[in-house]
Amino acid sequence: MGSFKQTQTTPYTDQKPGTSGLRKRVSVFQQENYLENFVQSVFSTLPQLIGGKIVLGGDGRYLNNHAIQIILRIASANGVAEVLLGQDGILSTPACSHLIRKHGCNGGFVLSASHNPAGENGDFGIKFNVENGGPAGTSITDAIFEFSKSISSYKINEGQIDTSLIGTQKLEGMTVTVIDPVADFADLMESLFDFNAIRSLLASGFTLAFDAMHAVTGPYAKTIFGTRLGLPLENLLNAVPLPDFGGGHPDPNPVYAKSLFDLMYGLQSPDFGAASDGDGDRYIVLGSKFYVSPSDSLAIIAANAHLTPGYKDGITGVARSMPTSRAADMVAEHLKIPSFETPTGWKYFGNLLETGQITICGEESAGTSSDHIREKDGLWAILMWLNIIAVRKQSVEDITRQHWKQFGRHYYTRHDYEAVKKSKAEAVMNTLRESLPDLTGQQLLGETVKNADSFNYIDPVDGSVAKNQGLRVFFESGARFVMRLSGTGTEGATLRLYLESYVGPDGNHNLDLAQATSALAQIADELTHLKKTVNRDRPTVIS
Ligand code: G1P
Ligand code: ZN
């Protein structure tokens, strides 16, 4: 440690982590000392990492390998004792969370910009997770940001690690242990789910297609579905991770996972289709010619988890992010367990998971997970579905329709207006915010406003407050819409409009989704002049 170099640097003003880590264009990260400044800010903010043990890996996107070497050299100079490094610099977000917990590490870095496009002209990102395996909370990320604004030097050692070589190497005084990125995670999955039952299901002629979207889950899927569950490898699509994700946009939704949707709605559609995102924390599930919305999937998983070995004693509670449909709340009510509504972003589930108040949580943005780790977990959710199907011996569609028969259906859709002018997006939000006090009682296109507010959250565990986490308009019919600005975009602003209408158990569950939510979209537009203000005639993405 004695020989490190103290390198002078000048601060950047924009290193504020968003909903999920620091996420910027590759060209931003390529600026002189940009990555170095941020990484040093993490080590300077968290003295517990000195002499400690951390996990390191990423989703394999462009800059991954370069960033791995830089972080190793800075970690070594800052006195980190040991790093667990995924082979070839690869680790999915859920696998990283698991490794931190399993090996009692002090934290870990995941290099990813999730589902954002990769490659030289794409995005890069860096997330720091704390010792419970979950994303650092805002008190930590704020402190890192504060430090980054006045950083004047960073510590760095010389040296290089061969990331392909499983085993132990040294970088100055620091031990670097290169590990198989998949094995521990696959073992964890095998401990939670009935792999024998799933293997039998797959052997019985039940067909499955999984799309890894050329991102990190390829190797995980090969081991879990292929080696351990006996699925022929030709059922794994785009399973080779590429630095530019094959030019795609690995966000598993109807727009970006179009080829999977085409397959699932085609003539010879498999019984089950699934996909994951860039870093493996998101997922979608489809049946033959049938798509399960992530909000419904969360509710169905909560209602059926007790059928799987890892959750056979039931679940303690559920949580969902505020914009996620309220389908999971109804399951909680039925199970007589608490349900929580948190701001958008996985970090807000952390305290509830830590204190055992919830077992399962999820977001409408295709993230669901449980207390087995402290991140969302795409493959976990997919295996959960497979295990439930193996037990219930019903199709994805039948399970979902039965769920609606019992709890009613929350028609749910999200309209994203991406890369709009920041000032315009803010103007839309302001228009709605200013109108909130006058909305109650107003009649709009057959709906009556019940109440409207800006969502504030008080963490029930530590009392911390998160204000203005989205604007909500509720209607007497049980419908609502929510509007908020994304905290993960890298270009202009992304405005998200979340639409939800409800029909009870005896209602019509066969409406066209767009039709069932079109009045709400129209109301939102009339109240905010959204389309006119951002100068778009339709959303960029509807999911
Ligand atoms: C988006 C999703 C949110 C998720 C986050 C990180 O954040 O909406 O649910 O936790 O990505 O994956 P947003 O861009 O809306 O701030
Ligand atoms: Zn992700």
Side-chain angles (χ1 to χ4, degrees):
M1 215 185 115
S3 65
F4 70 79
K5 221 169 69 204
Q6 187 96 27
T7 304
Q8 302 304 308
T9 186
T10 44
Y12 289 91
T13 53
D14 65 343
Q15 299 200 318
K16 186 176 168 59
T19 313
S20 187
L22 183 69
R23 204 177 279 187
K24 302 278 178 196
R25 283 270 187 265
V26 162
S27 56
V28 173
F29 271 100
Q30 283 172 327
Q31 296 172 96
E32 194 179 4
N33 295 334
Y34 193 89
L35 176 67
E36 289 83 345
N37 279 12
F38 186 76
V39 174
Q40 181 62 54
S41 300
V42 173
F43 286 116
S44 297
T45 307
L46 300 169
Q48 65 267 38
L49 302 181
I50 299 168
K53 188 168 168 181
I54 62 170
V55 175
L56 176 61
D59 63 15
R61 66 176 62 223
Y62 188 80
L63 272 196
N64 197 67
N65 293 338
H66 167 74
I68 294 272
Q69 298 293 344
I70 297 279
I71 294 171
L72 287 170
R73 290 168 55 200
I74 295 180
S76 159
N78 277 277
V80 170
E82 188 177 354
V83 179
L84 293 181
L85 174 67
Q87 187 180 27
D88 298 322
I90 293 292
L91 279 182
S92 73
T93 290
C96 178
S97 181
H98 175 53
L99 286 170
I100 294 172
R101 296 165 65 75
K102 180 172 178 186
H103 297 279
C105 297
N106 304 83
F109 290 93
V110 196
L111 309 177
S112 171
S114 190
H115 50 279
N116 292 15
E120 228 167 315
N121 301 316
D123 289 346
F124 188 72
I126 173 164
K127 304 186 279 184
F128 184 77
N129 285 23
V130 294
E131 69 273 9
N132 68 19
T138 36
S139 59
I140 294 179
T141 51
D142 286 350
I144 294 169
F145 176 48
E146 278 313 307
F147 190 92
S148 74
K149 287 192 286 191
S150 58
I151 188 168
S152 58
S153 67
Y154 60 86
K155 298 176 190 170
I156 189 157
N157 272 334
E158 292 303 323
Q160 192 168 1
I161 291 295
D162 182 347
T163 63
S164 69
L165 215 64
I166 298 271
T168 294
Q169 301 167 54
K170 285 269 181 191
L171 207 161
E172 295 281 336
M174 184 176 82
T175 305
V176 180
T177 308
V178 178
I179 54 171
D180 175 341
V182 176
D184 283 318
F185 180 78
D187 289 348
L188 175 67
M189 294 300 110
E190 203 157 349
S191 75
L192 295 172
F193 299 114
D194 186 346
F195 271 37
N196 285 333
I198 302 175
R199 206 177 296 116
S200 304
L201 174 75
L202 295 178
S204 72
F206 179 90
T207 46
L208 182 161
F210 173 77
D211 190 346
M213 302 187 87
H214 284 306
V216 81
T217 49
Y220 292 85
K222 277 186 189 156
T223 298
I224 294 172
F225 295 128
T227 315
R228 299 205 185 187
L229 291 169
L231 184 76
L233 290 186
E234 68 257 25
N235 298 332
L236 304 179
L237 317 172
N238 305 316
V240 178
L242 298 172
D244 67 348
F245 297 155
H249 192 144
D251 193 359
N253 65 37
V255 176
Y256 297 132
K258 187 171 180 304
S259 54
L260 179 70
F261 275 79
D262 288 348
L263 176 70
M264 295 308 296
Y265 282 84
L267 276 180
Q268 303 266 303
S269 54
D271 298 309
F272 186 90
S276 230
D277 76 332
D279 59 330
D281 55 0
R282 295 187 181 200
Y283 75 107
I284 45 167
V285 159
L286 296 103
S288 171
K289 301 178 181 58
F290 191 83
Y291 171 55
V292 187
S293 85
S295 289
D296 275 346
S297 180
L298 169 66
I300 292 168
I301 285 176
N304 291 278
H306 65 279
L307 301 175
T308 67
Y311 306 87
K312 63 178 187 325
D313 298 328
I315 57 177
T316 60
V318 295
R320 60 167 173 86
S321 67
M322 181 274 282
T324 303
S325 99
R326 290 158 293 172
D329 302 9
M330 310 199 72
V331 173
E333 202 177 308
H334 169 76
L335 295 175
K336 300 195 173 51
I337 55 173
S339 61
F340 298 85
E341 182 177 45
T342 57
T344 297
W346 205 260
K347 55 181 176 256
Y348 294 103
F349 295 131
N351 282 341
L352 294 168
L353 289 164
E354 274 311 293
T355 51
Q357 298 189 67
I358 58 169
T359 308
I360 284 176
C361 46
E363 297 192 277
E364 52 66 40
S365 53
T368 305
S369 192
S370 85
D371 58 0
H372 66 294
I373 55 169
R374 294 293 179 271
E375 285 278 6
K376 52 196 178 210
D377 189 343
L379 286 167
W380 173 91
I382 294 164
L383 289 165
M384 174 64 94
W385 264 95
L386 290 171
N387 199 155
I388 292 168
I389 291 170
V391 174
R392 289 186 50 167
K393 303 192 181 353
Q394 284 175 299
S395 69
V396 172
E397 177 167 356
D398 288 348
I399 289 173
T400 307
R401 288 193 179 281
Q402 265 190 21
H403 187 89
W404 292 339
K405 270 236 155 327
Q406 185 176 0
F407 296 100
R409 177 172 180 188
H410 293 255
Y411 286 97
Y412 187 89
T413 183
R414 185 176 102 185
H415 292 185
D416 292 335
Y417 293 82
E418 292 180 352
V420 298
K421 254 193 143 156
K422 218 168 164 211
S423 58
K424 302 283 183 194
E426 278 161 4
V428 173
M429 292 296 286
N430 285 337
T431 306
L432 183 57
R433 189 175 299 110
E434 280 157 22
S435 73
L436 290 178
D438 309 320
L439 287 183
T440 304
Q442 274 197 38
Q443 305 220 345
L444 305 154
L445 296 176
E447 295 276 3
T448 307
V449 178
K450 189 171 171 211
N451 60 305
D453 67 6
S454 172
F455 179 58
N456 297 326
Y457 180 67
I458 304 176
D459 187 295
V461 178
D462 64 17
S464 58
V465 177
K467 286 203 164 147
N468 297 323
Q469 297 294 313
L471 305 175
R472 318 188 279 185
V473 180
F474 299 91
F475 299 94
E476 298 283 0
S477 66
R480 71 167 186 177
F481 77 81
V482 172
M483 223 181 232
R484 60 180 281 281
L485 296 183
S486 153
T488 57
T490 53
E491 193 192 341
T494 293
L495 200 143
R496 305 204 195 283
L497 172 63
Y498 309 81
L499 308 167
E500 176 183 349
S501 66
Y502 177 68
V503 235
D506 301 325
N508 184 353
H509 302 152
N510 295 315
L511 296 173
D512 174 68
L513 178 59
Q515 255 176 351
T517 50
S518 72
L520 289 171
Q522 233 178 304
I523 294 171
D525 193 53
E526 279 181 21
L527 288 176
T528 60
H529 315 296
L530 162 63
K531 289 185 181 152
K532 189 160 166 255
T533 312
V534 303
N535 198 19
R536 300 276 171 88
D537 58 2
R538 67 173 72 100
T540 325
V541 177
I542 296 180
S543 56

